[in-house]
Amino acid sequence: LLINQNRYIPIYKNTKQTLLWNKDLGVSLMNQSHALLKIENFMHVILSKMYDWKSFKTEHQQILELASFVYDGNYEYSPLVQTYFDLMPQNIYLDDYAVFDKEQAFKSFQNQLREEHKNFISKLHVKNQRNRQVLFKYFEGLLGQHRKLLLVRVDLSYQYERSATISQFDKDIKKLINRIQNKDTIFRDQVGYAYRLEQGGKSKGFHCHLLVIYNGSIRCRDSYLGQSIGELWHKQITKGDGLFFNCNQ
């Protein structure tokens, strides 16, 4: 949804997290992850050749309050989300109003957006392939240095009703990575790590797939290590807001 530091996730700032429910919008106004997905899904719909262009103005306005709440002009979003924001009253150029009122203008707008989205996905695919190759080389290097490796994977997320903003998510991940790099307590004897930041739907939101690699000649009990990492995330880093799944159980 939004590109930042090679991560395909929405990004924005916000104030203190408070839960506000809007019955008309059907989402928690402070669940930014869910809000941006709702905007992106709508923009996916209008790309269809079967979409009735006359509905665009009304349907665009239906989520305008939600979009205004999560929009931050300091950031660059993916084409679908950015295009929606560009058509909001505070951002739209005078010439662009035609997409709401004229079929030919909408069709031209639709074709251009479809091409931008296609190029965006293509570049993202290339970037993912490059990251995969780098990761394989990283593992080959570790295998060349150690006789035995112990792999511990933990999936880290947040409770839906306490979902973090992207700025808070970023802070929490940085705290975690700092602990890993310092080989602090539970991370003693780690020889490497990898992680992937993602955005899911209502049940997931912003989350992290973490892999910590230990010297297998020194460490064992992978399930215990995974549980300890998860508890560190839940109790210390997120102060009770986090969830985790220990993949080594």
Side-chain angles (χ1 to χ4, degrees):
L1 299 166
L2 180 112
I3 302 301
N4 181 56
Q5 298 178 353
N6 299 325
R7 290 173 280 182
Y8 179 46
I9 51 177
I11 185 167
Y12 24 61
K13 301 178 294 183
N14 211 328
T15 54
K16 184 178 180 181
Q17 183 91 343
T18 346
L19 195 63
L20 300 175
W21 183 262
N22 185 306
K23 294 181 180 178
D24 294 329
L25 296 176
V27 297
S28 161
L29 290 181
M30 293 302 287
N31 191 319
Q32 297 176 332
S33 172
H34 192 201
L36 282 190
L37 283 175
K38 190 177 183 73
I39 295 169
E40 186 183 57
N41 289 339
F42 165 66
M43 296 302 286
H44 262 298
V45 170
I46 75 161
L47 293 182
S48 170
K49 293 181 179 180
M50 303 299 293
Y51 183 76
D52 180 8
W53 73 274
K54 296 178 182 178
S55 303
F56 183 52
K57 184 174 183 178
T58 300
E59 293 181 354
H60 183 275
Q61 291 176 343
Q62 285 176 347
I63 56 174
L64 189 57
E65 181 183 355
L66 176 67
S68 298
F69 184 82
V70 299
Y71 172 68
D72 189 325
N74 293 319
Y75 297 112
E76 179 184 358
Y77 299 83
S78 68
L80 291 183
V81 178
Q82 185 64 54
T83 297
Y84 181 95
F85 289 146
D86 288 343
L87 294 176
M88 294 197 305
Q90 63 267 40
N91 298 329
I92 191 170
Y93 289 105
L94 187 62
D95 292 343
D96 291 336
Y97 278 104
V99 303
F100 295 116
D101 303 315
K102 297 180 180 180
E103 181 176 7
Q104 189 57 44
F106 177 82
K107 294 296 183 181
S108 177
F109 156 80
Q110 188 184 47
N111 290 335
Q112 181 179 346
L113 180 58
R114 193 181 291 123
E115 190 65 25
E116 288 179 5
H117 179 63
K118 179 181 177 181
N119 291 338
F120 172 76
I121 295 300
S122 177
K123 291 178 181 178
L124 187 65
H125 178 71
V126 170
K127 184 176 292 185
N128 284 339
Q129 291 298 317
R130 184 168 63 245
N131 289 343
R132 183 187 295 269
Q133 293 172 4
V134 170
L135 188 60
F136 283 158
K137 290 182 180 179
Y138 181 61
F139 274 119
E140 289 175 356
L142 290 175
L143 288 170
Q145 297 172 31
H146 303 278
R147 186 171 62 87
K148 186 188 297 185
L149 297 175
L150 180 68
L151 308 184
V152 178
R153 176 182 159 181
V154 188
D155 294 341
L156 308 170
S157 59
Y158 296 87
Q159 300 178 51
Y160 178 71
E161 63 276 12
R162 298 183 182 179
S163 60
T165 63
I166 187 59
S167 58
Q168 185 59 52
F169 182 47
D170 187 56
K171 290 177 183 177
D172 290 342
I173 292 298
K174 286 179 178 176
K175 288 180 185 178
L176 176 66
I177 299 305
N178 184 61
R179 296 287 294 267
I180 295 174
Q181 291 176 340
N182 290 338
K183 300 189 176 184
D184 186 15
T185 57
I186 196 64
F187 300 113
R188 179 170 52 85
D189 302 316
Q190 68 87 355
V191 294
Y193 66 93
Y195 64 99
R196 180 182 176 92
L197 305 182
E198 296 182 346
Q199 177 187 6
K202 180 177 179 179
S203 62
K204 275 281 189 175
F206 302 126
H207 60 279
C208 171
H209 299 290
L210 173 68
L211 177 67
V212 181
I213 307 165
Y214 292 89
N215 185 334
S217 299
I218 301 176
R219 286 280 196 166
C220 57
R221 300 177 64 195
D222 56 321
S223 179
Y224 164 76
L225 292 170
Q227 186 69 22
S228 298
I229 292 171
E231 291 177 357
L232 172 70
W233 171 260
H234 171 68
K235 296 178 181 179
Q236 297 186 35
I237 294 179
T238 68
K239 308 300 181 184
D241 290 343
L243 296 174
F244 69 92
F245 178 75
N246 181 3
C247 302
N248 291 73
Q249 285 185 326

